[in-house]
Amino acid sequence: MERPAWAPRSIDISVPSVSRIYDYYLGGSHNFEVDREAARKAMEFMPGLPKIMQANRAFMRRAVRFAVDEGITQFLDIGSGIPTFGNVHEVAQAARPDAHVVYVDHDPVAVAHSEAVLAGNEGAGVVAADFRKPQEILASPEVQRLIDLNRPVALLLVAILHFVEDADDPYSAVAELRDALAPGSLLLLTHASYEGVPLPAERAEGAVDVYKDIRNPLIMRSREEIARFFEGYDMVEPGLVAMPHWRPDTAPEDEDPYAFSGFAGVGRTA
């Protein structure tokens, strides 16, 4: 397999990557055949997976615009993946040129591509770090340079928490990040769930098994379990809902049924 110029030498391009699979679902070009093969296997069970990812991105853009409208100009996007058109810095800086954005990911391809996309953008940066180690993220030079933790921050955890197993205690990591943020900060979150999937759960489990096979388990939590991530936050209307129902730009009834899989919400610290 030939290694493209954008792929860091340190990565094993024979092993599927969650961020590159996500990139494939969104129609991106930063993925390998091994990623596409895993994605196609998952789509045999859930053919609407690309629609779910598109709904995630659409929610993210609406939520970022909401944050800007609320006066927030600092964005910390953890589990940011490979930047695609309409990413956080583009949406935020289009509305507020002075907005600061820090992307965080542990995938070397996501980090390398983010660095290339952000070259020359003094208001944005990228950190190679793991969500499960919040203090490493907060103490990183890019966060120290671009984010003032004494002012409100929009923390994005979009399509990441369902890749963190309970054994790694994602609730504690989210709480640790929350406690580091100033009052008036926002949590922008999406999470996969069997609830809302227009398929029998046993069929959807086939797609979940594909992620387990590539050693990136997909943890499908209930609405109640997802709501626990918002402890210490006041929910912004309309609360924790299916992605197309969160402050939609277009009529939700026009959306693909798969777009209603899982939940999205925004919370505000007191």
Side-chain angles (χ1 to χ4, degrees), residues 54-201:
Q54 290 163 18
N56 257 284
R57 300 292 294 189
F59 161 79
M60 178 274 288
R61 289 190 285 267
R62 296 196 304 275
V64 167
R65 289 196 298 267
F66 168 79
V68 172
D69 288 345
E70 292 292 297
I72 291 181
T73 59
Q74 305 186 107
F75 297 83
L76 181 58
D77 184 358
I78 301 179
S80 50
I82 297 169
T84 57
F85 176 75
N87 215 46
V88 176
H89 71 283
E90 292 177 333
V91 177
Q93 292 177 346
R96 284 289 302 262
D98 61 336
H100 285 183
V101 178
V102 176
Y103 294 115
V104 181
D105 209 288
H106 65 83
D107 184 315
V109 170
V111 172
H113 193 51
S114 297
E115 288 173 341
V117 167
L118 298 175
N121 188 330
E122 290 300 314
V126 59
V127 175
D130 193 318
F131 157 80
R132 295 169 294 183
K133 299 176 179 178
Q135 290 309 314
E136 288 186 13
I137 295 171
L138 297 170
S140 67
E142 286 297 86
V143 169
Q144 295 288 311
R145 178 175 75 88
L146 289 167
I147 304 292
D148 178 0
L149 293 173
N150 294 310
R151 296 193 295 113
V153 176
L155 169 64
L156 287 88
L157 298 175
V158 175
I160 177 179
L161 293 172
H162 47 236
F163 290 114
V164 185
E165 298 180 82
D166 289 339
D168 289 319
D169 198 3
Y171 295 103
S172 290
V174 172
E176 199 171 337
L177 289 163
R178 178 200 65 214
D179 292 345
L181 302 181
S185 293
L186 298 177
L187 171 61
L188 285 52
L189 180 152
T190 66
H191 197 297
S193 176
Y194 286 123
E195 297 176 43
V197 178
L199 286 173

Side-chain angles (χ1 to χ4, degrees), residues 217-235:
L218 182 58
I219 313 302
M220 305 289 269
R221 295 186 172 96
S222 67
R223 185 183 186 281
E224 183 178 355
E225 289 170 323
I226 297 166
R228 280 183 55 203
F229 288 115
F230 286 98
E231 287 182 2
Y233 288 90
D234 295 325
M235 294 302 294

